[in-house]
Short mmCIF file of all heavy atoms in Angstrom, two decimals:
data_model
loop_
_atom_site.label_atom_id
_atom_site.label_comp_id
_atom_site.label_asym_id
_atom_site.label_seq_id
_atom_site.Cartn_x
_atom_site.Cartn_y
_atom_site.Cartn_z
N SER P 42 -3.73 6.57 -34.42
CA SER P 42 -3.60 5.59 -35.49
C SER P 42 -3.49 6.30 -36.85
O SER P 42 -2.86 5.78 -37.77
CB SER P 42 -4.77 4.61 -35.46
OG SER P 42 -6.00 5.29 -35.44
N LEU P 43 -4.09 7.48 -36.98
CA LEU P 43 -3.96 8.32 -38.17
C LEU P 43 -3.78 9.76 -37.70
O LEU P 43 -4.71 10.57 -37.73
CB LEU P 43 -5.23 8.24 -39.04
CG LEU P 43 -5.54 6.88 -39.68
CD1 LEU P 43 -6.95 6.87 -40.26
CD2 LEU P 43 -4.51 6.57 -40.75
N PRO P 44 -2.57 10.11 -37.21
CA PRO P 44 -2.39 11.41 -36.57
C PRO P 44 -2.68 12.60 -37.50
O PRO P 44 -2.38 12.56 -38.69
CB PRO P 44 -0.92 11.41 -36.14
CG PRO P 44 -0.28 10.29 -36.87
CD PRO P 44 -1.34 9.33 -37.27
N ALA P 45 -3.29 13.61 -36.91
CA ALA P 45 -3.61 14.85 -37.61
C ALA P 45 -2.34 15.70 -37.75
O ALA P 45 -1.28 15.37 -37.20
CB ALA P 45 -4.67 15.62 -36.83
N ASP P 46 -2.48 16.81 -38.45
CA ASP P 46 -1.36 17.74 -38.62
C ASP P 46 -1.12 18.59 -37.37
O ASP P 46 -0.01 19.05 -37.14
CB ASP P 46 -1.61 18.68 -39.81
CG ASP P 46 -1.64 17.94 -41.13
OD1 ASP P 46 -0.97 16.90 -41.25
OD2 ASP P 46 -2.34 18.41 -42.04
N ARG P 47 -2.20 18.80 -36.60
CA ARG P 47 -2.08 19.66 -35.41
C ARG P 47 -3.16 19.29 -34.41
O ARG P 47 -4.14 18.63 -34.75
CB ARG P 47 -2.19 21.13 -35.79
CG ARG P 47 -3.54 21.50 -36.38
CD ARG P 47 -3.54 22.91 -36.93
NE ARG P 47 -4.80 23.18 -37.61
CZ ARG P 47 -5.70 24.05 -37.21
NH1 ARG P 47 -5.50 24.77 -36.13
NH2 ARG P 47 -6.82 24.23 -37.89
N VAL P 48 -2.98 19.75 -33.20
CA VAL P 48 -3.99 19.55 -32.16
C VAL P 48 -5.17 20.46 -32.46
O VAL P 48 -5.01 21.60 -32.91
CB VAL P 48 -3.40 19.83 -30.76
CG1 VAL P 48 -4.47 19.74 -29.69
CG2 VAL P 48 -2.27 18.84 -30.45
N ASN P 49 -6.37 19.96 -32.21
CA ASN P 49 -7.61 20.68 -32.43
C ASN P 49 -7.58 22.02 -31.66
O ASN P 49 -7.41 22.02 -30.44
CB ASN P 49 -8.76 19.80 -31.94
CG ASN P 49 -10.12 20.40 -32.09
OD1 ASN P 49 -10.30 21.61 -32.08
ND2 ASN P 49 -11.11 19.53 -32.20
N PRO P 50 -7.74 23.15 -32.34
CA PRO P 50 -7.70 24.46 -31.65
C PRO P 50 -8.75 24.61 -30.56
O PRO P 50 -8.49 25.24 -29.53
CB PRO P 50 -7.94 25.47 -32.78
CG PRO P 50 -7.56 24.75 -34.03
CD PRO P 50 -7.87 23.30 -33.78
N ALA P 51 -9.94 24.01 -30.73
CA ALA P 51 -10.97 24.09 -29.69
C ALA P 51 -10.54 23.31 -28.45
O ALA P 51 -10.86 23.69 -27.32
CB ALA P 51 -12.30 23.56 -30.22
N VAL P 52 -9.79 22.23 -28.63
CA VAL P 52 -9.25 21.45 -27.51
C VAL P 52 -8.20 22.28 -26.78
O VAL P 52 -8.18 22.33 -25.54
CB VAL P 52 -8.69 20.10 -28.01
CG1 VAL P 52 -7.85 19.42 -26.93
CG2 VAL P 52 -9.83 19.20 -28.48
N ILE P 53 -7.32 22.93 -27.52
CA ILE P 53 -6.30 23.80 -26.90
C ILE P 53 -6.98 24.87 -26.06
O ILE P 53 -6.60 25.12 -24.91
CB ILE P 53 -5.39 24.43 -27.98
CG1 ILE P 53 -4.53 23.34 -28.64
CG2 ILE P 53 -4.52 25.54 -27.39
CD1 ILE P 53 -3.75 23.80 -29.85
N GLU P 54 -8.03 25.50 -26.61
CA GLU P 54 -8.75 26.56 -25.89
C GLU P 54 -9.45 26.01 -24.65
O GLU P 54 -9.40 26.62 -23.57
CB GLU P 54 -9.77 27.22 -26.83
CG GLU P 54 -10.47 28.40 -26.21
CD GLU P 54 -11.44 29.09 -27.17
OE1 GLU P 54 -11.37 28.86 -28.38
OE2 GLU P 54 -12.28 29.86 -26.67
N ALA P 55 -10.10 24.86 -24.78
CA ALA P 55 -10.81 24.27 -23.63
C ALA P 55 -9.84 23.91 -22.51
O ALA P 55 -10.16 24.09 -21.33
CB ALA P 55 -11.60 23.03 -24.08
N MET P 56 -8.66 23.42 -22.86
CA MET P 56 -7.68 23.07 -21.83
C MET P 56 -7.11 24.34 -21.18
O MET P 56 -6.87 24.37 -19.97
CB MET P 56 -6.57 22.21 -22.42
CG MET P 56 -7.05 20.83 -22.86
SD MET P 56 -7.78 19.84 -21.52
CE MET P 56 -6.31 19.43 -20.57
N ALA P 57 -6.92 25.39 -21.97
CA ALA P 57 -6.42 26.66 -21.42
C ALA P 57 -7.39 27.21 -20.39
O ALA P 57 -6.98 27.82 -19.40
CB ALA P 57 -6.19 27.67 -22.55
N GLU P 58 -8.69 26.98 -20.60
CA GLU P 58 -9.70 27.45 -19.65
C GLU P 58 -9.53 26.84 -18.26
O GLU P 58 -9.96 27.41 -17.28
CB GLU P 58 -11.10 27.14 -20.17
CG GLU P 58 -11.49 27.96 -21.37
CD GLU P 58 -12.86 27.57 -21.93
OE1 GLU P 58 -13.46 26.56 -21.49
OE2 GLU P 58 -13.34 28.29 -22.80
N VAL P 59 -8.92 25.65 -18.19
CA VAL P 59 -8.69 25.00 -16.89
C VAL P 59 -7.22 25.10 -16.48
O VAL P 59 -6.75 24.36 -15.62
CB VAL P 59 -9.20 23.54 -16.86
CG1 VAL P 59 -10.71 23.49 -17.02
CG2 VAL P 59 -8.50 22.68 -17.91
N GLY P 60 -6.50 26.01 -17.12
CA GLY P 60 -5.13 26.30 -16.72
C GLY P 60 -4.07 25.33 -17.24
O GLY P 60 -2.98 25.28 -16.68
N ILE P 61 -4.37 24.59 -18.30
CA ILE P 61 -3.40 23.64 -18.85
C ILE P 61 -3.09 24.07 -20.29
O ILE P 61 -3.97 24.11 -21.14
CB ILE P 61 -3.93 22.20 -18.81
CG1 ILE P 61 -4.21 21.79 -17.35
CG2 ILE P 61 -2.92 21.24 -19.44
CD1 ILE P 61 -4.84 20.42 -17.20
N ASP P 62 -1.81 24.36 -20.53
CA ASP P 62 -1.36 24.83 -21.84
C ASP P 62 -0.85 23.65 -22.67
O ASP P 62 0.14 23.02 -22.31
CB ASP P 62 -0.23 25.85 -21.64
CG ASP P 62 0.32 26.39 -22.95
OD1 ASP P 62 -0.22 26.07 -24.03
OD2 ASP P 62 1.31 27.15 -22.88
N ILE P 63 -1.55 23.36 -23.76
CA ILE P 63 -1.11 22.28 -24.65
C ILE P 63 -0.77 22.83 -26.04
O ILE P 63 -0.77 22.08 -27.02
CB ILE P 63 -2.12 21.12 -24.73
CG1 ILE P 63 -3.47 21.57 -25.30
CG2 ILE P 63 -2.29 20.45 -23.38
CD1 ILE P 63 -4.41 20.40 -25.64
N THR P 64 -0.43 24.11 -26.12
CA THR P 64 -0.12 24.71 -27.41
C THR P 64 1.11 24.07 -28.06
O THR P 64 1.23 24.07 -29.28
CB THR P 64 0.10 26.23 -27.30
OG1 THR P 64 1.12 26.47 -26.31
CG2 THR P 64 -1.17 26.95 -26.91
N ALA P 65 2.01 23.51 -27.28
CA ALA P 65 3.22 22.89 -27.84
C ALA P 65 3.01 21.42 -28.20
O ALA P 65 3.89 20.79 -28.79
CB ALA P 65 4.37 23.01 -26.85
N ALA P 66 1.86 20.86 -27.88
CA ALA P 66 1.59 19.44 -28.16
C ALA P 66 1.46 19.22 -29.67
O ALA P 66 0.93 20.07 -30.38
CB ALA P 66 0.32 18.99 -27.45
N THR P 67 1.96 18.07 -30.11
CA THR P 67 1.84 17.71 -31.53
C THR P 67 1.36 16.27 -31.63
O THR P 67 1.78 15.41 -30.85
CB THR P 67 3.18 17.84 -32.26
OG1 THR P 67 4.16 17.04 -31.60
CG2 THR P 67 3.66 19.28 -32.31
N PRO P 68 0.49 15.99 -32.59
CA PRO P 68 0.04 14.60 -32.80
C PRO P 68 1.21 13.71 -33.20
O PRO P 68 2.11 14.12 -33.94
CB PRO P 68 -0.98 14.73 -33.93
CG PRO P 68 -1.49 16.14 -33.80
CD PRO P 68 -0.28 16.93 -33.40
N LYS P 69 1.20 12.49 -32.66
CA LYS P 69 2.25 11.51 -32.92
C LYS P 69 1.63 10.22 -33.43
O LYS P 69 0.52 9.87 -33.05
CB LYS P 69 3.05 11.24 -31.64
CG LYS P 69 3.84 12.45 -31.16
CD LYS P 69 4.35 12.29 -29.75
CE LYS P 69 3.40 12.66 -28.65
NZ LYS P 69 2.59 13.84 -28.74
N ALA P 70 2.38 9.50 -34.24
CA ALA P 70 1.90 8.23 -34.80
C ALA P 70 2.03 7.11 -33.79
O ALA P 70 3.02 7.02 -33.06
CB ALA P 70 2.69 7.89 -36.06
N LEU P 71 1.02 6.26 -33.76
CA LEU P 71 1.03 5.08 -32.91
C LEU P 71 2.00 4.06 -33.50
O LEU P 71 1.95 3.77 -34.69
CB LEU P 71 -0.38 4.49 -32.84
CG LEU P 71 -0.54 3.20 -32.05
CD1 LEU P 71 -0.27 3.45 -30.58
CD2 LEU P 71 -1.94 2.64 -32.25
N THR P 72 2.88 3.52 -32.66
CA THR P 72 3.81 2.48 -33.10
C THR P 72 3.72 1.29 -32.14
O THR P 72 3.31 1.44 -30.98
CB THR P 72 5.27 2.98 -33.11
OG1 THR P 72 5.67 3.27 -31.75
CG2 THR P 72 5.44 4.22 -33.97
N ASN P 73 4.13 0.14 -32.62
CA ASN P 73 4.18 -1.04 -31.76
C ASN P 73 5.11 -0.80 -30.58
O ASN P 73 4.84 -1.22 -29.46
CB ASN P 73 4.65 -2.27 -32.54
CG ASN P 73 3.58 -2.80 -33.47
OD1 ASN P 73 2.41 -2.47 -33.35
ND2 ASN P 73 3.99 -3.63 -34.41
N GLU P 74 6.21 -0.09 -30.82
CA GLU P 74 7.19 0.18 -29.75
C GLU P 74 6.57 1.02 -28.64
O GLU P 74 6.84 0.79 -27.46
CB GLU P 74 8.43 0.88 -30.32
CG GLU P 74 9.25 0.03 -31.27
CD GLU P 74 8.65 -0.10 -32.67
OE1 GLU P 74 7.84 0.77 -33.09
OE2 GLU P 74 8.97 -1.08 -33.34
N THR P 75 5.76 1.99 -29.01
CA THR P 75 5.11 2.83 -28.01
C THR P 75 4.16 2.01 -27.14
O THR P 75 4.12 2.17 -25.92
CB THR P 75 4.33 3.99 -28.69
OG1 THR P 75 5.22 4.69 -29.54
CG2 THR P 75 3.77 4.95 -27.67
N VAL P 76 3.41 1.11 -27.78
CA VAL P 76 2.51 0.25 -27.02
C VAL P 76 3.31 -0.69 -26.12
O VAL P 76 3.00 -0.84 -24.93
CB VAL P 76 1.59 -0.56 -27.96
CG1 VAL P 76 0.72 -1.53 -27.17
CG2 VAL P 76 0.72 0.38 -28.79
#
Side-chain angles (χ1 to χ4, degrees):
S42 52
L43 295 168
D46 294 331
R47 63 188 174 114
V48 175
N49 180 332
V52 167
I53 292 171
E54 185 178 344
M56 293 301 288
E58 290 177 352
V59 295
I61 300 175
D62 179 5
I63 62 169
T64 55
T67 56
K69 294 166 275 318
L71 177 66
T72 65
N73 286 344
E74 294 77 23
T75 306
V76 176

